[in-house]
Amino acid sequence: MRRHKEHSRRLPAGPRQTGPRALSGRLPGAVAVVAAAALALAGCSGSSSSSSSASATGSPQASGSPQVSGSPQASPTPGQQNGGTQLQDAYQTVIANVLPSVVQITTGESLGSGIVYDDKGDIVTNAHVVGTATTFTVTLANSTTALDATLVGSYPDSDLAVIKLSSPPSGLKPASFGDSSKVQLGQITLAMGSPLGLTSSVTQGIVSAVGRTVTEPQGPGSPGATIGNMVQTSAAINPGNSGGALTNLDSQVIGINTLAATEPQTNGAAAPGIGFAIPASTITNIANQLIKQGKVTNSGRAALGVTARTSFNQQFQPAGAVIVSVTPGGAAASAGLQAGDVITKIDDTQVDSLNALTTALASLTPGRNVTVTYTRGGTTKTVDVSLGELGTP
């Protein structure tokens, strides 16, 4: 199978948890053998159980012995059958409704996914999928014909971009976007895209958490954006899924697949069941601005109006975010903050690096009043700041 340089973002998972895996190496010999046998049986249950069942049902039964295949417990009740069928039907309905709106995007040797945004040929995807490219080929879910597309606009700070088909075909099916405020823990989700170049693939899971603030690794087209309010899902998100749709069972897109977690202790191996999607409200806000004006002026994200870098103490440990420059007329300038000031806290949130400052701001909203703690000339000071809004000139 042809290898692609598929687009996906990976970030470290939390500290590795201790558990059975860590303990198994210290099991006594006899116990270890039993455990290994149990694992082998569990791993082969799909194939060996059917052959064992055939052998049992084909063997002569002792007089009066019940037939296993006839045991009432062996068959699901009508209610269980109906419930399973209904859920299966719901999955298939969502797939039929949404999958035609999910496309594959190719940029040279790189590959990702996208979502049809309107019937004019606009497609929303991740900024890291488009990278620095301005031309693309797009393959629709119901076609093998590659279509040309060009860049409308990219907003790496929220890792979103819009491209447009040069000659939109008739019958394009725009996706329906859901209400981000109604996304709840435990909701069933389906992730659609082109993982590893396998077009129109679907995985399933649930909403594991909402309101996550996640910092991406740096890469082509992405400065290592810190994105707030992300949806965490257990649906598998693999390389090539980036830019694809995360949907609910109402056939609505509730997020755009963006990140998959990895474990640093396993040399970057995937951490199963931990993926992140940018919420629908952010998608529609950014996409509408990119389509109408080619840039973003109202991101809905809080900003201090400064350029900063990580500050280090005498022991060369991160100790804050030092302001390099202040935007004239911005929130920091209006509050009297200056270049050289070292920010150490936003309200009660400690700031020991530029990343910590960015993360703290990602969870806040424009117009909110916060107390900024900073040092100037070795003296600790505080000032109240009314946050501005992150945008582009």
Side-chain angles (χ1 to χ4, degrees):
M1 182 171 66
R2 180 185 176 187
R3 291 184 176 270
H4 298 274
K5 182 184 176 184
E6 296 93 349
H7 282 285
S8 179
R9 313 303 294 167
R10 299 278 184 183
L11 77 164
R16 189 172 184 177
Q17 303 296 313
T18 58
R21 183 192 304 177
L23 296 174
S24 62
R26 298 195 297 270
L27 288 173
V31 178
V33 171
V34 173
L39 288 172
L41 287 173
C44 297
S45 61
S47 57
S48 64
S49 61
S50 60
S51 59
S52 297
S53 175
S55 176
T57 55
S59 300
Q61 298 292 321
S63 176
S65 299
Q67 294 284 339
V68 174
S69 60
S71 173
Q73 290 81 2
S75 301
T77 65
Q80 290 173 325
Q81 290 178 326
N82 291 340
T85 301
Q86 289 172 359
L87 183 59
Q88 176 177 284
D89 289 346
Y91 279 17
Q92 292 177 334
T93 297
V94 174
I95 293 169
N97 289 339
V98 181
L99 200 58
S101 304
V102 181
V103 305
Q104 178 177 293
I105 299 173
T106 305
T107 307
E109 296 181 355
S110 301
L111 178 149
S113 304
I115 305 169
V116 177
Y117 194 74
D118 57 37
D119 58 8
K120 298 177 182 178
D122 291 304
I123 295 169
V124 65
T125 184
N126 284 130
H128 75 259
V129 169
V130 304
T132 58
T134 56
T135 59
F136 317 89
T137 56
V138 174
T139 305
L140 304 181
N142 57 357
S143 173
T144 58
T145 302
L147 305 174
D148 293 330
T150 56
L151 181 67
V152 173
S154 180
Y155 190 61
D157 285 328
S158 290
D159 199 1
L160 290 170
V162 174
I163 66 175
K164 186 169 186 174
L165 296 174
S166 302
S167 300
S170 59
L172 275 180
K173 186 175 182 181
S176 172
F177 290 82
D179 184 346
S180 295
S181 66
K182 295 182 179 179
V183 176
Q184 297 181 350
L185 297 182
Q187 276 187 294
I188 292 175
T189 59
L190 299 180
M192 304 183 190
S194 299
L196 306 178
L198 301 171
T199 59
S200 301
S201 292
V202 183
T203 57
Q204 62 86 28
I206 62 169
V207 173
S208 305
V210 295
R212 295 294 198 202
T213 298
V214 181
T215 299
E216 299 181 344
Q218 293 185 346
S222 174
T226 298
I227 306 172
N229 201 34
M230 295 190 83
V231 178
Q232 181 182 331
T233 180
S234 62
I237 296 177
N238 294 297
N241 264 132
S242 290
L246 185 71
T247 74
N248 59 22
L249 289 188
D250 292 323
S251 300
Q252 297 172 328
V253 175
I254 60 172
I256 190 166
N257 304 323
T258 301
L259 289 163
T262 60
E263 283 191 279
Q265 295 90 344
T266 55
N267 297 319
I274 306 177
F276 301 92
I278 298 171
S281 58
T282 302
I283 299 169
T284 54
N285 176 39
I286 300 301
N288 286 338
Q289 293 181 69
L290 290 175
I291 292 169
K292 291 178 181 178
Q293 53 201 33
K295 62 181 181 180
V296 175
T297 56
N298 299 292
S299 64
R301 297 184 57 180
L304 266 178
V306 301
T307 300
R309 60 176 174 80
T310 299
S311 175
F312 296 88
N313 60 22
Q314 293 182 343
Q315 289 74 42
F316 300 101
Q317 298 297 317
V322 59
I323 298 175
V324 176
S325 63
V326 178
T327 304
S334 298
L337 291 169
Q338 304 172 5
D341 292 342
V342 179
I343 299 172
T344 57
K345 189 184 293 187
I346 301 290
D347 283 338
D348 294 327
T349 302
Q350 294 291 332
V351 173
D352 61 2
S353 65
L354 175 59
N355 182 62
L357 175 62
T358 305
T359 301
L361 292 172
S363 63
L364 302 174
T365 55
R368 175 168 172 173
N369 292 318
V370 298
T371 299
V372 177
T373 302
Y374 65 101
T375 60
R376 178 185 294 173
T379 303
T380 299
K381 302 174 179 287
T382 61
V383 65
D384 291 333
V385 179
S386 179
L387 295 174
E389 186 165 20
L390 184 66
T392 57

